[in-house]
């Protein structure tokens, strides 16, 4: 399944209420689909808090192999790659 | 008699201002008489100085520090406050005080020509404050409140206006949006009527300037409550990566670190003042100083955009996390 992340949720993902609702939605979509392609093209800002809340949590639940297999990010800026990687790393370290 | 007198050029005089202004925090609910705040000799005043003046008035009025204090403004200062929109906030503050049956003579002294509430044009800061952009980008002074309206404002107004103003320059948009969002969300988390959080920002194609001030729990108190040693230089620690008052949550301690890093990468200036301590980054040098006590936190960021550099300009070590980037 393809998700245009900014269009579906918001171009600014910065607060925990929004982060929580995105996390829940992606979990539901993962349950309904074999894989997700998440297009981050029009995402202007994602805070490290939300990246950890959404992708850190999902990574811990799926485990590294399933996460890699089921979720593909496309059109990710260099900075956003850093934020997502580091937020997942932080979640793993604290787990 | 207490006289707080500002020098003619207070653009670069934040440390002097804090030294003079700290007296207000020992006058909470004292209604001390015979106080004057003199801005009548001021001939040069930055937007940041105006924010500090407003916060001074805001704190003294809401905490009944002084009884019928005198405020003397030069024509220049009045003009500057009008241009920036701070005068509207002061008027709103006055009306709000009247509603609460608290006579703020300090603020009324600004507007001696006003006989009653009816003389004041109704002002609703939540609706009237504007983000404008013609030659420059300007986010007018905003009293930040932790509500859905202001949460949406970040996304719907500020970031979208920043994108429009800095069109075609994704790096610049990225830097400005990140700094605004991280600081905004930090203050937003604690923004209540009591903290009196105010933000203002302006930008040209070459530079973006962002200012916040509040009277909440300052950085030093917040981090010491989380276990950081108050005798150490907490302000220095607060901008380090991974330092957070909420460990083992989704908070990563990245907000202030990221802002500081972007500031340093781009040769900007960052000033943080909180509870008697100052962190000042300027021209690539970082200084920590003691300063006049300020209850809460003040942040002033000025970031050049001539040759924008974002986080990926740094050398990032590979993490062990495998992610499918397509």
């Amino acid at each position: 399944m393809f998700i245009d992340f900014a269009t579906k949720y918001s171009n600014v993902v910065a607060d925990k209420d929004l982060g929580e609702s995105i996390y829940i939605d992606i979990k539901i979509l993962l349950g309904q689909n074999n894989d997700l392609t998440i297009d981050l093209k029009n995402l202007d800002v994602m805070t490290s808090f939300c990246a950890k809340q959404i992708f850190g949590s999902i990574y811990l639940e799926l485990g590294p192999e399933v996460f890699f297999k089921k979720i593909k990010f496309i059109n990710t800026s260099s900075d956003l790659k850093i934020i997502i990687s580091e937020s997942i790393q932080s979640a793993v370290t604290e787990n | 008699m207490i006289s707080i007198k500002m020098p003619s050029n207070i653009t670069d005089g934040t440390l002097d201002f804090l030294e003079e202004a700290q007296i207000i925090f020992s006058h909470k609910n004292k209604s001390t008489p015979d106080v004057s705040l003199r801005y009548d000799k001021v001939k040069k005043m930055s937007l940041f100085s105006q924010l500090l003046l407003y916060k001074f008035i805001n704190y003294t009025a809401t905490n009944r520090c002084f009884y019928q204090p005198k405020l003397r403004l030069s024509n220049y200062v009045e003009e500057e406050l009008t241009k920036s929109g701070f005068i509207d906030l002061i008027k709103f503050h006055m009306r709000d005080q009247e509603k609460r049956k608290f006579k703020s003579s300090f603020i009324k002294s600004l507007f001696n020509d006003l006989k009653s509430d009816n003389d004041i044009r109704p002002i609703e800061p939540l609706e009237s404050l504007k983000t404008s952009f013609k030659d420059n980008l300007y986010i007018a002074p905003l009293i930040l409140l932790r509500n859905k309206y202001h949460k949406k404002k970040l996304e719907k107004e500020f970031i979208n206006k920043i994108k429009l103003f800095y069109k075609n320059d994704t790096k610049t948009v990225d830097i400005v949006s990140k700094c605004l969002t991280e600081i905004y969300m930090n203050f937003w988390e604690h923004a209540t009527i009591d903290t009196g959080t105010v933000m203002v920002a302006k930008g040209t194609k070459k530079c973006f300037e962002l200012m916040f001030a509040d009277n909440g729990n300052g950085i030093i108190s917040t981090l010491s409550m989380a276990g950081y040693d108050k005798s150490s230089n907490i302000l220095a620690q607060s901008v380090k990566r991974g330092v957070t008052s909420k460990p083992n949550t989704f908070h990563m301690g990245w907000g202030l670190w990221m802002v500081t890093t972007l500031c340093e990468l781009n040769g900007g200036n960052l000033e943080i003042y909180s509870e008697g301590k100052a962190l000042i980054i300027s021209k690539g040098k970082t200084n920590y100083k003691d300063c006049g006590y300020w209850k809460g936190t003040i942040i002033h960021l000025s970031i050049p955009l001539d040759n924008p550099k974002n986080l990926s300009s740094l050398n990032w070590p590979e993490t062990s996390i495998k992610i499918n980037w397509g």
Side-chain angles (χ1 to χ4, degrees):
Chain A
M1 185 189 180
F2 176 85
I3 300 173
D4 181 341
F5 194 86
T7 305
K8 184 172 173 60
Y9 303 115
S10 174
N11 62 322
V12 179
V13 180
D15 77 89
K16 61 183 171 189
D17 293 343
L18 178 59
E20 174 72 9
S21 65
I22 295 172
Y23 160 71
I24 291 168
D25 195 55
I26 290 181
K27 266 187 75 170
I28 292 169
L29 293 173
L30 282 166
Q32 296 167 342
N33 299 276
N34 288 332
D35 52 66
L36 292 182
T37 297
I38 300 175
D39 188 346
L40 298 171
K41 183 173 55 185
N42 295 313
L43 181 61
D44 295 312
V45 183
M46 176 180 276
T47 58
S48 56
F49 179 96
C50 289
K52 186 175 175 182
Q53 182 184 28
I54 300 165
F55 300 119
S57 301
I58 290 172
Y59 185 94
L60 291 180
E61 288 167 25
L62 295 182
E65 285 175 19
V66 179
F67 186 90
F68 186 85
K69 193 176 160 193
K70 291 193 87 167
I71 298 180
K72 180 167 78 175
F73 297 95
I74 60 170
N75 295 314
T76 316
S77 69
S78 307
D79 271 31
L80 200 49
K81 281 181 183 174
I82 292 167
I83 288 169
I84 292 173
S85 306
E86 293 290 329
S87 65
I88 293 174
Q89 180 73 65
S90 171
V92 169
T93 305
E94 288 174 5
N95 186 37
Chain B
M1 173 78 178
I2 298 170
S3 181
I4 300 169
K5 189 177 174 185
M6 294 299 151
S8 60
N9 179 352
I10 56 170
T11 294
D12 302 316
T14 307
L15 291 170
D16 292 340
F17 172 87
L18 293 174
E19 202 61 44
E20 289 284 325
Q22 65 180 333
I23 193 171
I24 62 177
F25 301 107
S26 59
H27 282 257
K28 188 175 178 180
N29 293 323
K30 286 190 176 171
S31 294
T32 306
D34 297 326
V35 176
S36 71
L37 174 62
R38 296 189 56 180
Y39 272 71
D40 50 337
K41 303 291 182 196
V42 173
K43 289 176 180 162
K44 193 172 180 193
M45 192 180 196
S46 64
L47 189 59
F48 183 50
S49 326
Q50 294 179 53
L51 170 65
L52 297 181
L53 168 62
Y54 169 70
K55 280 304 298 170
F56 180 97
I57 290 171
N58 170 264
Y59 185 88
T60 54
T62 53
N63 292 284
R64 304 169 197 194
C65 296
F66 305 136
Y67 177 72
Q68 293 189 339
K70 304 277 188 297
L71 176 62
R72 294 186 192 170
L73 304 178
S74 64
N75 288 339
Y76 166 79
V77 172
E78 280 197 57
E79 283 168 14
E80 291 300 301
L81 289 170
T82 303
K83 272 192 255 173
S84 66
F86 271 109
I87 217 91
D88 282 346
L89 274 190
I90 291 169
K91 285 180 182 177
F92 169 76
H93 190 60
M94 174 182 166
R95 201 169 66 111
D96 190 46
Q97 297 302 308
E98 290 287 332
K99 272 186 194 167
R100 286 191 272 160
K101 305 291 181 197
F102 169 54
K103 299 221 181 270
S104 170
S105 53
F106 196 165
I107 292 174
K108 273 206 158 179
S109 68
L110 268 173
F111 303 99
N112 290 327
D113 56 323
L114 302 175
K115 306 295 183 210
S116 73
D117 238 14
N118 295 332
D119 290 337
I120 305 173
R121 179 174 57 85
I123 296 166
E124 293 295 339
L126 301 185
E127 292 170 10
S128 69
L129 291 161
K130 294 178 181 70
T131 307
S132 63
F133 61 105
K134 287 179 185 168
D135 297 332
N136 296 329
L137 173 75
Y138 184 61
I139 297 175
L142 172 71
I143 298 173
L144 193 59
L145 291 172
R146 193 172 188 276
N147 59 26
K148 283 185 181 173
Y149 178 87
H150 278 152
K151 204 158 62 177
K152 285 283 174 198
K153 211 168 173 68
L154 177 67
E155 165 197 340
K156 299 290 177 199
E157 189 160 335
F158 302 152
I159 302 298
N160 287 341
K161 291 280 169 69
I162 286 166
K163 280 166 68 181
L164 278 170
F165 184 70
Y166 293 111
K167 56 190 170 188
N168 301 327
D169 191 340
T170 51
K171 267 190 183 175
T172 299
V173 169
D174 185 58
I175 291 164
V176 171
S177 302
K178 268 199 185 81
C179 290
L180 176 63
T181 303
E182 290 292 349
I183 302 178
Y184 186 97
M185 290 310 294
N186 261 332
F187 277 91
W188 186 85
E189 285 283 332
H190 312 286
T192 65
I193 291 285
D194 291 337
T195 60
T197 308
V198 182
M199 72 164 284
V200 63
K202 66 176 183 179
T204 63
K205 301 290 183 191
K206 293 190 168 183
C207 185
F208 182 71
E209 202 177 343
L210 179 62
M211 294 146 266
F212 281 80
D214 78 358
N215 295 119
N217 286 327
I219 291 175
I220 292 172
S221 292
T222 307
L223 285 178
S224 63
M225 281 189 279
Y228 287 89
D229 182 3
K230 209 168 182 175
S231 63
S232 67
N233 191 341
I234 289 188
L235 216 48
Q237 293 184 59
S238 72
V239 296
K240 288 185 178 165
R241 188 172 153 194
V243 173
T244 173
S245 61
K246 295 166 186 157
N248 299 312
T249 64
F250 296 127
H251 289 276
M252 287 170 58
W254 266 47
L256 272 182
W257 167 78
M258 197 187 294
V259 170
T260 306
T261 302
L262 289 170
C263 174
E264 288 174 333
L265 273 172
N266 289 286
N269 298 330
L270 176 67
E271 301 160 63
I272 304 176
Y273 304 94
S274 184
E275 302 174 279
K277 301 287 179 190
L279 178 158
I280 299 169
I281 298 172
S282 179
K283 295 174 185 170
K285 290 184 180 171
T286 303
N287 286 305
Y288 301 99
K289 294 179 179 177
D290 289 335
C291 65
Y293 179 86
W294 180 267
K295 177 175 166 41
T297 302
I298 299 166
I299 292 184
H300 180 199
L301 172 72
S302 176
I303 193 158
L305 304 168
D306 302 286
N307 180 22
K309 293 189 179 77
N310 54 17
L311 285 183
S312 50
S313 308
L314 296 168
N315 286 325
W316 285 86
E318 288 279 321
T319 69
S320 57
I321 307 297
K322 272 184 73 184
I323 298 171
N324 186 349
W325 297 117

PDB file of all heavy atoms in Angstrom, chain B residues 216-222 230 273-277 291-297:
ATOM      1  N   GLY B 216       7.665  30.786  33.002  1.00  0.00           N
ATOM      2  CA  GLY B 216       7.367  29.462  33.567  1.00  0.00           C
ATOM      3  C   GLY B 216       8.566  28.936  34.348  1.00  0.00           C
ATOM      4  O   GLY B 216       9.444  29.698  34.763  1.00  0.00           O
ATOM      5  N   ASN B 217       8.583  27.621  34.542  1.00  0.00           N
ATOM      6  CA  ASN B 217       9.775  27.019  35.142  1.00  0.00           C
ATOM      7  C   ASN B 217      10.891  27.124  34.115  1.00  0.00           C
ATOM      8  O   ASN B 217      10.754  26.666  32.999  1.00  0.00           O
ATOM      9  CB  ASN B 217       9.526  25.545  35.466  1.00  0.00           C
ATOM     10  CG  ASN B 217       8.639  25.379  36.671  1.00  0.00           C
ATOM     11  OD1 ASN B 217       8.675  26.196  37.597  1.00  0.00           O
ATOM     12  ND2 ASN B 217       7.818  24.347  36.671  1.00  0.00           N
ATOM     13  N   GLY B 218      11.999  27.724  34.500  1.00  0.00           N
ATOM     14  CA  GLY B 218      13.092  27.893  33.551  1.00  0.00           C
ATOM     15  C   GLY B 218      13.815  26.586  33.282  1.00  0.00           C
ATOM     16  O   GLY B 218      13.546  25.557  33.913  1.00  0.00           O
ATOM     17  N   ILE B 219      14.725  26.646  32.331  1.00  0.00           N
ATOM     18  CA  ILE B 219      15.473  25.443  31.941  1.00  0.00           C
ATOM     19  C   ILE B 219      16.217  24.853  33.140  1.00  0.00           C
ATOM     20  O   ILE B 219      16.255  23.632  33.335  1.00  0.00           O
ATOM     21  CB  ILE B 219      16.484  25.796  30.822  1.00  0.00           C
ATOM     22  CG1 ILE B 219      15.737  26.126  29.525  1.00  0.00           C
ATOM     23  CG2 ILE B 219      17.465  24.658  30.582  1.00  0.00           C
ATOM     24  CD1 ILE B 219      16.636  26.601  28.409  1.00  0.00           C
ATOM     25  N   ILE B 220      16.810  25.717  33.944  1.00  0.00           N
ATOM     26  CA  ILE B 220      17.630  25.228  35.065  1.00  0.00           C
ATOM     27  C   ILE B 220      16.765  24.483  36.077  1.00  0.00           C
ATOM     28  O   ILE B 220      17.098  23.366  36.503  1.00  0.00           O
ATOM     29  CB  ILE B 220      18.402  26.406  35.701  1.00  0.00           C
ATOM     30  CG1 ILE B 220      19.456  26.890  34.692  1.00  0.00           C
ATOM     31  CG2 ILE B 220      19.057  25.982  37.022  1.00  0.00           C
ATOM     32  CD1 ILE B 220      20.169  28.152  35.073  1.00  0.00           C
ATOM     33  N   SER B 221      15.617  25.067  36.439  1.00  0.00           N
ATOM     34  CA  SER B 221      14.712  24.389  37.391  1.00  0.00           C
ATOM     35  C   SER B 221      14.198  23.080  36.809  1.00  0.00           C
ATOM     36  O   SER B 221      14.143  22.054  37.493  1.00  0.00           O
ATOM     37  CB  SER B 221      13.511  25.282  37.723  1.00  0.00           C
ATOM     38  OG  SER B 221      13.919  26.375  38.458  1.00  0.00           O
ATOM     39  N   THR B 222      13.810  23.125  35.539  1.00  0.00           N
ATOM     40  CA  THR B 222      13.227  21.938  34.915  1.00  0.00           C
ATOM     41  C   THR B 222      14.229  20.782  34.885  1.00  0.00           C
ATOM     42  O   THR B 222      13.898  19.644  35.223  1.00  0.00           O
ATOM     43  CB  THR B 222      12.773  22.260  33.470  1.00  0.00           C
ATOM     44  OG1 THR B 222      11.937  23.407  33.520  1.00  0.00           O
ATOM     45  CG2 THR B 222      12.006  21.119  32.859  1.00  0.00           C
ATOM     46  N   LYS B 230      22.376  20.937  40.001  1.00  0.00           N
ATOM     47  CA  LYS B 230      22.178  22.381  39.879  1.00  0.00           C
ATOM     48  C   LYS B 230      23.485  23.160  40.039  1.00  0.00           C
ATOM     49  O   LYS B 230      23.612  24.289  39.562  1.00  0.00           O
ATOM     50  CB  LYS B 230      21.155  22.857  40.917  1.00  0.00           C
ATOM     51  CG  LYS B 230      20.374  24.071  40.488  1.00  0.00           C
ATOM     52  CD  LYS B 230      19.190  24.333  41.385  1.00  0.00           C
ATOM     53  CE  LYS B 230      18.410  25.546  40.879  1.00  0.00           C
ATOM     54  NZ  LYS B 230      17.191  25.780  41.634  1.00  0.00           N
ATOM     55  N   TYR B 273      18.661  32.807  28.117  1.00  0.00           N
ATOM     56  CA  TYR B 273      18.748  33.365  29.462  1.00  0.00           C
ATOM     57  C   TYR B 273      17.731  32.652  30.331  1.00  0.00           C
ATOM     58  O   TYR B 273      16.572  32.493  29.941  1.00  0.00           O
ATOM     59  CB  TYR B 273      18.427  34.866  29.458  1.00  0.00           C
ATOM     60  CG  TYR B 273      19.292  35.666  28.515  1.00  0.00           C
ATOM     61  CD1 TYR B 273      18.856  35.946  27.209  1.00  0.00           C
ATOM     62  CD2 TYR B 273      20.540  36.137  28.906  1.00  0.00           C
ATOM     63  CE1 TYR B 273      19.644  36.669  26.332  1.00  0.00           C
ATOM     64  CE2 TYR B 273      21.335  36.864  28.029  1.00  0.00           C
ATOM     65  CZ  TYR B 273      20.879  37.129  26.744  1.00  0.00           C
ATOM     66  OH  TYR B 273      21.670  37.846  25.872  1.00  0.00           O
ATOM     67  N   SER B 274      18.179  32.227  31.498  1.00  0.00           N
ATOM     68  CA  SER B 274      17.248  31.564  32.398  1.00  0.00           C
ATOM     69  C   SER B 274      17.787  31.576  33.817  1.00  0.00           C
ATOM     70  O   SER B 274      18.924  31.145  34.049  1.00  0.00           O
ATOM     71  CB  SER B 274      17.015  30.120  31.924  1.00  0.00           C
ATOM     72  OG  SER B 274      16.042  29.501  32.734  1.00  0.00           O
ATOM     73  N   GLU B 275      17.020  32.109  34.699  1.00  0.00           N
ATOM     74  CA  GLU B 275      17.270  32.006  36.145  1.00  0.00           C
ATOM     75  C   GLU B 275      18.697  32.390  36.549  1.00  0.00           C
ATOM     76  O   GLU B 275      19.360  31.672  37.294  1.00  0.00           O
ATOM     77  CB  GLU B 275      16.943  30.584  36.612  1.00  0.00           C
ATOM     78  CG  GLU B 275      15.495  30.207  36.308  1.00  0.00           C
ATOM     79  CD  GLU B 275      15.192  28.772  36.630  1.00  0.00           C
ATOM     80  OE1 GLU B 275      15.527  27.893  35.796  1.00  0.00           O
ATOM     81  OE2 GLU B 275      14.637  28.515  37.699  1.00  0.00           O
ATOM     82  N   GLY B 276      19.147  33.512  36.026  1.00  0.00           N
ATOM     83  CA  GLY B 276      20.446  34.039  36.439  1.00  0.00           C
ATOM     84  C   GLY B 276      21.637  33.530  35.651  1.00  0.00           C
ATOM     85  O   GLY B 276      22.786  33.829  35.991  1.00  0.00           O
ATOM     86  N   LYS B 277      21.369  32.750  34.606  1.00  0.00           N
ATOM     87  CA  LYS B 277      22.462  32.224  33.776  1.00  0.00           C
ATOM     88  C   LYS B 277      22.206  32.596  32.318  1.00  0.00           C
ATOM     89  O   LYS B 277      21.054  32.679  31.883  1.00  0.00           O
ATOM     90  CB  LYS B 277      22.550  30.700  33.881  1.00  0.00           C
ATOM     91  CG  LYS B 277      22.771  30.183  35.303  1.00  0.00           C
ATOM     92  CD  LYS B 277      24.188  30.443  35.793  1.00  0.00           C
ATOM     93  CE  LYS B 277      24.364  29.945  37.226  1.00  0.00           C
ATOM     94  NZ  LYS B 277      25.633  30.373  37.813  1.00  0.00           N
ATOM     95  N   CYS B 291      24.053  36.219  35.001  1.00  0.00           N
ATOM     96  CA  CYS B 291      23.360  37.434  34.580  1.00  0.00           C
ATOM     97  C   CYS B 291      22.232  37.715  35.561  1.00  0.00           C
ATOM     98  O   CYS B 291      22.003  36.941  36.490  1.00  0.00           O
ATOM     99  CB  CYS B 291      22.820  37.286  33.156  1.00  0.00           C
ATOM    100  SG  CYS B 291      21.541  36.034  32.971  1.00  0.00           S
ATOM    101  N   GLY B 292      21.528  38.806  35.353  1.00  0.00           N
ATOM    102  CA  GLY B 292      20.395  39.126  36.202  1.00  0.00           C
ATOM    103  C   GLY B 292      19.371  38.002  36.168  1.00  0.00           C
ATOM    104  O   GLY B 292      19.161  37.374  35.126  1.00  0.00           O
ATOM    105  N   TYR B 293      18.735  37.761  37.290  1.00  0.00           N
ATOM    106  CA  TYR B 293      17.773  36.656  37.380  1.00  0.00           C
ATOM    107  C   TYR B 293      16.536  36.934  36.518  1.00  0.00           C
ATOM    108  O   TYR B 293      15.973  38.025  36.551  1.00  0.00           O
ATOM    109  CB  TYR B 293      17.344  36.480  38.847  1.00  0.00           C
ATOM    110  CG  TYR B 293      16.327  35.366  39.035  1.00  0.00           C
ATOM    111  CD1 TYR B 293      16.736  34.053  39.205  1.00  0.00           C
ATOM    112  CD2 TYR B 293      14.957  35.651  39.024  1.00  0.00           C
ATOM    113  CE1 TYR B 293      15.802  33.034  39.362  1.00  0.00           C
ATOM    114  CE2 TYR B 293      14.019  34.632  39.184  1.00  0.00           C
ATOM    115  CZ  TYR B 293      14.449  33.328  39.347  1.00  0.00           C
ATOM    116  OH  TYR B 293      13.530  32.327  39.497  1.00  0.00           O
ATOM    117  N   TRP B 294      16.131  35.945  35.768  1.00  0.00           N
ATOM    118  CA  TRP B 294      14.874  36.005  35.021  1.00  0.00           C
ATOM    119  C   TRP B 294      14.090  34.733  35.325  1.00  0.00           C
ATOM    120  O   TRP B 294      14.586  33.630  35.089  1.00  0.00           O
ATOM    121  CB  TRP B 294      15.111  36.115  33.514  1.00  0.00           C
ATOM    122  CG  TRP B 294      13.811  36.175  32.746  1.00  0.00           C
ATOM    123  CD1 TRP B 294      13.135  35.128  32.193  1.00  0.00           C
ATOM    124  CD2 TRP B 294      13.015  37.325  32.499  1.00  0.00           C
ATOM    125  NE1 TRP B 294      11.970  35.566  31.613  1.00  0.00           N
ATOM    126  CE2 TRP B 294      11.869  36.917  31.792  1.00  0.00           C
ATOM    127  CE3 TRP B 294      13.160  38.694  32.816  1.00  0.00           C
ATOM    128  CZ2 TRP B 294      10.870  37.799  31.381  1.00  0.00           C
ATOM    129  CZ3 TRP B 294      12.158  39.578  32.411  1.00  0.00           C
ATOM    130  CH2 TRP B 294      11.039  39.126  31.698  1.00  0.00           C
ATOM    131  N   LYS B 295      12.888  34.908  35.855  1.00  0.00           N
ATOM    132  CA  LYS B 295      12.064  33.719  36.105  1.00  0.00           C
ATOM    133  C   LYS B 295      11.516  33.217  34.776  1.00  0.00           C
ATOM    134  O   LYS B 295      10.723  33.907  34.128  1.00  0.00           O
ATOM    135  CB  LYS B 295      10.915  34.037  37.060  1.00  0.00           C
ATOM    136  CG  LYS B 295      10.014  32.822  37.268  1.00  0.00           C
ATOM    137  CD  LYS B 295       8.938  33.033  38.278  1.00  0.00           C
ATOM    138  CE  LYS B 295       7.871  31.935  38.185  1.00  0.00           C
ATOM    139  NZ  LYS B 295       8.362  30.572  37.967  1.00  0.00           N
ATOM    140  N   GLY B 296      11.936  32.040  34.395  1.00  0.00           N
ATOM    141  CA  GLY B 296      11.513  31.493  33.111  1.00  0.00           C
ATOM    142  C   GLY B 296      12.678  31.427  32.148  1.00  0.00           C
ATOM    143  O   GLY B 296      13.838  31.332  32.565  1.00  0.00           O
ATOM    144  N   THR B 297      12.365  31.481  30.890  1.00  0.00           N
ATOM    145  CA  THR B 297      13.389  31.313  29.853  1.00  0.00           C
ATOM    146  C   THR B 297      13.192  32.345  28.751  1.00  0.00           C
ATOM    147  O   THR B 297      12.068  32.668  28.389  1.00  0.00           O
ATOM    148  CB  THR B 297      13.303  29.890  29.247  1.00  0.00           C
ATOM    149  OG1 THR B 297      13.462  28.930  30.292  1.00  0.00           O
ATOM    150  CG2 THR B 297      14.372  29.656  28.198  1.00  0.00           C
TER     151      THR B 297
END
